[in-house]
Amino acid sequence: MYHVLGGWTHYLDRKVVELDGLRLGGLSGVVGDPRKPLRRSDEEFVEWIERLLDDGAEILVLHDGPEIPDRRLRGQASIRGALERARPTLVLRGHCHWNEAVARLANGTQIVNAHEKVVVLERAASDE
């Protein structure tokens, strides 16, 4: 945990943290030549997605993300495959612009493209 500008931030790369009962996992970088900065091979990227979800991440924060070819939304086919093989989750991703901010995969996983956007999560009010 890092203290930044009066608040607490968490470096999520390759780890899951629990915040107020919510498990967030993250993976930085993009799919590419691992000899270059902030790049991971396709296989390594998929392996880390699977690990983070196996570790109980309820929300997955990725820099790179899945493609949605039928809607012409850019990304990686390998990432889409890994997410579709897992239990449904919420994914926040960036890296490339989509004309649509939200997409859903076949297994129910929701993808929010946060490129040039701010995502604010708020706990639903309880009925108590």
Side-chain angles (χ1 to χ4, degrees):
M1 190 175 339
Y2 301 93
H3 187 68
V4 179
L5 299 176
W8 292 99
T9 61
H10 296 268
Y11 186 67
L12 292 176
D13 187 32
R14 297 172 294 173
K15 67 175 78 170
V16 175
V17 298
E18 186 168 327
L19 300 172
D20 196 23
L22 184 63
R23 294 183 57 81
L24 295 136
L27 186 59
S28 66
V30 298
V31 172
D33 182 348
R35 294 174 292 182
K36 293 184 177 181
L38 298 173
R39 309 274 194 302
R40 300 177 197 277
S41 69
D42 227 11
E43 296 79 16
E44 182 182 8
F45 214 95
V46 165
E47 180 181 319
W48 274 107
I49 288 172
E50 291 168 347
R51 283 187 193 181
L52 293 165
L53 292 173
D54 285 347
D55 286 346
E58 298 168 283
I59 296 177
L60 192 57
V61 181
L62 304 173
H63 183 77
D64 209 343
E67 68 168 0
I68 315 290
D70 60 326
R71 292 172 62 189
R72 301 182 67 156
L73 302 175
R74 295 184 310 146
Q76 302 296 325
S78 60
I79 296 174
R80 184 189 74 246
L83 293 171
E84 286 180 332
R85 287 188 300 273
R87 63 176 162 63
T89 190
L90 175 63
V91 176
L92 308 177
R93 62 84 41 103
H95 188 60
C96 62
H97 175 75
W98 286 358
N99 287 331
E100 304 170 42
V102 179
R104 184 181 302 264
L105 299 179
N107 71 337
T109 290
Q110 295 181 59
I111 313 295
V112 176
N113 186 303
H115 180 75
E116 298 180 346
K117 297 171 186 70
V118 172
V119 176
V120 177
L121 302 174
E122 184 176 68
R123 184 176 299 279
S126 67
D127 292 335
E128 297 175 15

